[in-house]
Amino acid sequence: MDPIYYYLIAAAVVAFIPLLRTLFCSFHTLVHEAGHAIAALLTSGKVYKISLFPNTEGLAYTSYRSILSGVIIYYSGYTFSTLAAILSFYLIFNGELTLLYYFFILLALCSLVFWVRNFYGVFWVLFFLGSAVYMEYYQLDTLREMFILFFSSILLVQSILSSFQIFIMSITTPRHAGDATGLAELTYIPAFIWGTLFFGQSLAGAYIIFQ
């Protein structure tokens, strides 16, 4: 079996162990919320702050100028994390681990400097960056490779699990389904349609990766 499958299995197991989930899966939350922030900036909106929480939930506090820009911002979170997972495995399969490593660091660093403001969020991003700097300083190449493969796997697994959760919530509690609810309020398209879209595109992302 290809070694990457062991990382994917580990990422799936971690998702159901509370302490480890808090420690590692916040990476997906950071990427998700960064997607909202980037979309806000690209549509001339504003980003006030990002908050990350120990339960791996997060919030991006943004504003938008039009309904269209609001739709783009709400839609961007799950989409960005899926695209980031595809990009990560594309770079892995093409042997560009170093480039992916610095992409992770740059995204975390920019988020820390410009957006993340709550205590847990700052602590987690500093922990993530500190781990990366430690491995880089001491040239721990094997550990760095494991770091890259594991967090890429976290990104893929969590993009599927979190979108599945929103899909279920969009059916059972459509008024409390996060981004799907926000999109429903802006477009009058039912939340479960957006939940289905989020989950479907995460599965499509996984299909592309495994192909």
Side-chain angles (χ1 to χ4, degrees), residues 11-208:
V13 171
V14 161
F16 296 97
I17 302 176
L19 181 59
L20 295 180
R21 176 182 169 86
T22 296
L23 187 60
F24 296 113
C25 296
S26 292
F27 178 64
H28 170 265
T29 309
L30 177 67
V31 173
H32 176 106
E33 302 306 335
H36 288 306
I38 293 169
L41 295 177
L42 291 176
T43 56
S44 301
K46 292 184 178 179
V47 183
Y48 299 105
K49 65 177 180 178
I50 285 176
S51 294
L52 307 179
F53 305 109
N55 63 356
T56 69
E57 292 182 359
L59 282 173
Y61 298 83
T62 64
S63 64
Y64 49 86
R65 292 191 172 186
S66 66
I67 292 177
L68 177 60
S69 60
V71 170
I72 292 172
I73 292 168
Y74 274 116
Y75 180 69
S76 62
Y78 289 101
T79 304
F80 185 71
S81 62
T82 296
L83 291 175
I86 294 171
L87 173 64
S88 297
F89 281 90
Y90 174 81
L91 293 175
I92 289 170
F93 294 150
N94 284 278
E96 298 290 350
L97 295 183
T98 300
L99 181 59
L100 179 57
Y101 182 68
Y102 288 120
F103 169 71
F104 286 166
I105 292 175
L106 181 62
L107 183 64
L109 185 60
C110 288
S111 297
L112 178 64
V113 172
F114 296 111
W115 303 320
V116 179
R117 292 294 178 266
N118 71 315
F119 176 79
Y120 173 77
V122 170
F123 173 80
W124 189 88
V125 178
L126 286 174
F127 161 76
F128 181 85
L129 289 172
S131 300
V133 169
Y134 178 83
M135 289 182 289
E136 186 70 16
Y137 182 79
Y138 288 103
Q139 294 295 298
L140 303 175
D141 295 338
T142 299
L143 191 60
R144 185 174 67 172
E145 181 177 332
M146 294 171 64
F147 178 91
I148 296 166
L149 295 175
F150 181 64
F151 277 106
S152 296
S153 299
I154 286 286
L155 197 53
L156 174 57
V157 169
Q158 284 299 310
S159 70
I160 296 171
L161 292 179
S162 63
S163 61
F164 176 70
Q165 183 180 23
I166 285 296
F167 167 65
I168 296 299
M169 292 174 65
S170 70
I171 297 172
T172 58
T173 55
R175 293 187 178 182
H176 303 282
D179 294 342
T181 299
L183 285 164
E185 291 173 350
L186 285 175
T187 64
Y188 301 103
I189 298 173
F192 81 88
I193 298 294
W194 294 107
T196 302
L197 178 60
F198 288 144
F199 183 47
Q201 71 185 21
S202 72
L203 294 178
Y207 176 79
I208 291 170

